[in-house]
Amino acid sequence: MTDLEAAIRQRTARVGVVGLGYVGLPLIRAFVAAGFRTLGFDVDQHKVDQLRAGRSYIKHIPAEWIQECLAGERFEPTADLRRLNEADCVLICVPTPLSDSRDPDLEYVEQTARAIAAALRPGQLIVLESTTYPGTTRDVVLPILAASGLQVGRDFFLAYSPEREDPGNPDYGASGIPKVVGGIEPMSARLAEVLYSQAVVRIVPVSSCEVAEACKILENTYRAVNIAMVNELKMLYDRMGIDVWEVIEAAKTKPFGFAAFYPGPGLGGHCIPIDPFYLSWVARKHGLSTRFIELAGEINAQMPQYVIERVVRELNERGKPLKGSRVCLLGVAYKKDVDDPRESPSFVLMDLLRQRGAVLSYNDPHVPKLPKMRHHDVPELASQELTPEFLAAQDCVLIATDHSAYDYDHVVRHAKLVIDTRNATKCVQDNRDRIVKT
Ligand SMILES: NC(=O)c1ccc[n+]([C@@H]2O[C@H](COP(=O)([O-])OP(=O)(O)OC[C@H]3O[C@@H](n4cnc5c(N)ncnc54)[C@H](O)[C@@H]3O)[C@@H](O)[C@H]2O)c1
């Protein structure tokens, strides 16, 4: 047994996590709960300062937990990447976005790999967790680390283990989700498996980093394609007067061979709208196209437009043009009960509404002020309180995210028209004639 393996098993190894965001912080939590001392790295000094002051910037990470960890010296946040050599195991959880031309943007992963290479010392285990295309760990990360002069499998160890975090899901936290692990070579795989098995419910070893990378992209592509399929069926069933949500509820009673996916106003979040395009990009390099991914992207991207057309039609029925109408959007987070607005279709809906002259307002209990977004010209708006008077003054209330905190009876009771893209009002009994599902 190597010294590193012994230290991991005794839980005296220090775990470093690079990228203290939606993935990195829950991961630290899992390792702290398993008894490890952790170091958290982030280039965003503001985030580090907040954590050091015992404050949380992610809704489902309690400030009390951060304060306890700081007091017990279980977690130390820092922006000083030179301290990467203090960690025995370094887990990389930095963003993997798309560039403006929708190609993989590995800038953050490369920067991190360079910072690790500058501090690399014999006996360290490095694991990439960021979602990416098959081949990234071997072709992008390894050469940067190997440029340090140290040799993988002998001096340091390198693996890939995809993060499967599902923010806002009360049933599965980082320690409860099985972890797929693939190494660059056998010793790297073994050490990564031993490390995660200390903190995570089950390890799923696979034969290489590439299999682990491909597994994550398969999971996300599966979701993107199935969501596109139900979105397409929604448009068809809408026209036929069939409620697609009722169809899905019935279909999911089949005990095998069917997993329920739900339509919505478009795709959101850091993963599902983005990751499949990592695979399309690598497919092009292999002379192949990924037609399912392209088609799913096309259908999902069309959904906000479809929703706005419905808003226009319903207002028109009520003798109102969209121009000058008051529209309040409910929910700007990309999914239920989270505070993460990244890639949320709500911003596309807002762009379309403003282009057509609607008087826009919004409410989101988890997003008090509209954040700046890279690809949208976001107005400076604060979340409006949903008082009876405010709701009654709107020409249309558009439900984009079905947060549990909403009192849908109250919304429908006071609003003139509710366009519901999530079937959020399914339990509302009264005034159903004001609800249009789309
Ligand atoms: N959010 C999710 O639900 C989720 C789920 C599964 C996988 N993932 C994947 O995990 C990765 C991270 O996603 P996230 O949602 O946690 O992102 P995030 O933006 O919440 O957090 C990433 C953090 O990394 C920091 N960072 C950027 N460059 C850095 C650098 N060079 N060194 C140190 N820190 C750096 C950023 O400041 C940020 O705080 C992505 O690849 C994403 O696709 C995300």
Side-chain angles (χ1 to χ4, degrees), residues 18-24 41-44 47 57-58 81 93-96 108 111-112 129-132 163-167 216 270-271 275 334 340 342:
V18 189
L20 302 176
Y22 285 89
V23 162
F41 297 89
D42 206 294
V43 286
D44 184 338
K47 281 188 177 170
Y57 43 80
I58 294 181
L81 300 188
C93 306
V94 296
T96 43
Y108 302 100
Q111 268 172 17
T112 304
E129 293 223 4
S130 302
T131 307
T132 186
E163 184 48 57
R164 290 163 144 179
E165 178 71 9
D166 186 15
K216 173 69 186 181
H270 190 295
C271 297
D275 304 340
Y334 79 91
D340 185 353
R342 287 178 295 177

Side-chain angles (χ1 to χ4, degrees), residues 11 32 51 56 86 106 116 159 165-166 186 193 206 226-227 323 326 334 383 418:
R11 305 191 185 186
V32 167
L51 292 169
S56 174
E86 291 175 34
L106 288 177
I116 295 171
E165 178 71 9
D166 186 15
E193 287 164 27
V206 293
N226 278 286
I227 292 169
K323 192 177 171 78
R326 292 177 182 280
Y334 79 91
S383 176
V418 177

Side-chain angles (χ1 to χ4, degrees), residues 318 391-397 412 414-418 433-434:
R318 289 156 180 79
L391 287 166
Q394 303 305 306
D395 296 298
C396 173
V397 172
V412 175
H414 298 289
K416 298 185 189 87
L417 165 65
V418 177
D433 55 328
R434 297 178 191 171

Side-chain angles (χ1 to χ4, degrees), residues 33 60 80 90 116 135 141 148 152 203 233 235-236 249 253 256 262 268 284 331 351 362 375-376 381 384 402 405-406:
H60 55 279
D80 183 358
V90 178
I116 295 171
V141 178
S148 65
V152 73
I203 305 306
L233 289 183
M235 294 187 278
L236 170 65
E249 287 315 295
T253 60
F256 48 88
Y262 296 93
R284 285 199 296 279
D351 284 348
Y362 89 98
H375 302 294
H376 303 277
L381 290 179
Q384 293 287 326
D402 51 343
Y406 285 129

